[in-house]
Amino acid sequence: MQIIVLHPRAPRVFRLQLTPLRVGLLAILLCMLVAGTSSAITWFVARAHAAADPSREARDKTYLRENLAVLAARVGELQAQMVRLDALGERVSGLAGIAPQDFDFRHRPARGGPAPAGLSRALTLPDLRDELARLGEQAGHRADYFDVIEGALLDRQLRERRIPSVVPVAAGYDGSSFGARIDPFTGRRTQHEGVDFVAPSGTPIVAAAGGVVVAAEWHHEYGNMIDIDHGDGLKTRYAHASKSLVKVGDLVRPGQEIARVGSTGRSTGAHLHFEVHVNGVPRNPTGFLTAAAPSPAAALAATDRTAIR
């Protein structure tokens, strides 16, 4: 085969004789050109991937750092909630009268059990995030629950502190009990609405329970008289004092000194006349002082069981 090449502006004529040898060399040259081009393309693509990999790795590291920062903040919140729960647990245990060794909030509770076969798997980052969220919700619910219990226990404790359970005169003795008796002035049988504690003049008189002083005045029969309101319809009266140490509006604690024993008013000698009123009705003080009742209803039940003299 012969190939003739003509050029419009060139006078010469180029003739190329295609022999089998030349055809073979041309085929080999063409194959080498294709192989070189393919290698070049492959090299450029590899370089492009190599340049992209560090960028992807950097993005992955940034993603992990951001998620770890979020998880670390969440762990910090949970730690703060656990500290609060421990403090609440200790306070509630103390209010409930639970011994510290029976329920120790300072140490992690022991746990254990057999390893499940074929059911365990490694935690993923989303799994860990979900678990932390669930623990946070549980900790919040536990804290709310503890707050309610603490409030109820504090209310019960305050209610108990308002029940007359402290003997108002430690050094005295019962000279005249609650109930019917012979009046020392008239000789007639009358109702005695309190208990008389005989003690030397000047002996301290203390509040039988916590409350607010609603009366601190002179009464023609009770002499120097103090009334303390304890709430829930409970009121105590302290009469015939030689001296009052409180005034109206004072907030007193159980066992706080409020007066001194005397013989003022309608009295035959130094003593404290002590009364307990429930909703305006005089009740036997002995039932309150000896029963240490947790509520007015229980104290009333105790007074009903006490013999009235």
Side-chain angles (χ1 to χ4, degrees), residues 31-81:
C31 289
M32 291 177 64
L33 181 61
V34 171
T37 304
S38 176
S39 298
I41 293 174
T42 303
W43 181 76
F44 279 114
V45 171
R47 283 201 61 180
H49 280 292
D53 284 342
S55 173
R56 181 177 180 181
E57 184 179 355
R59 288 199 303 270
D60 290 344
K61 288 182 178 179
T62 302
Y63 174 77
L64 287 175
R65 279 197 302 269
E66 292 175 352
N67 279 273
L68 286 175
V70 172
L71 293 178
R74 189 58 181 158
V75 169
E77 294 174 2
L78 286 176
Q79 288 175 339
Q81 285 183 308

Side-chain angles (χ1 to χ4, degrees), residues 211-214 227-229 245-252 256:
V212 180
V213 177
V214 293
D227 286 349
I228 299 177
D229 189 345
L245 303 178
V246 293
K247 63 183 182 301
V248 174
D250 284 352
L251 183 66
V252 297
Q256 177 181 334

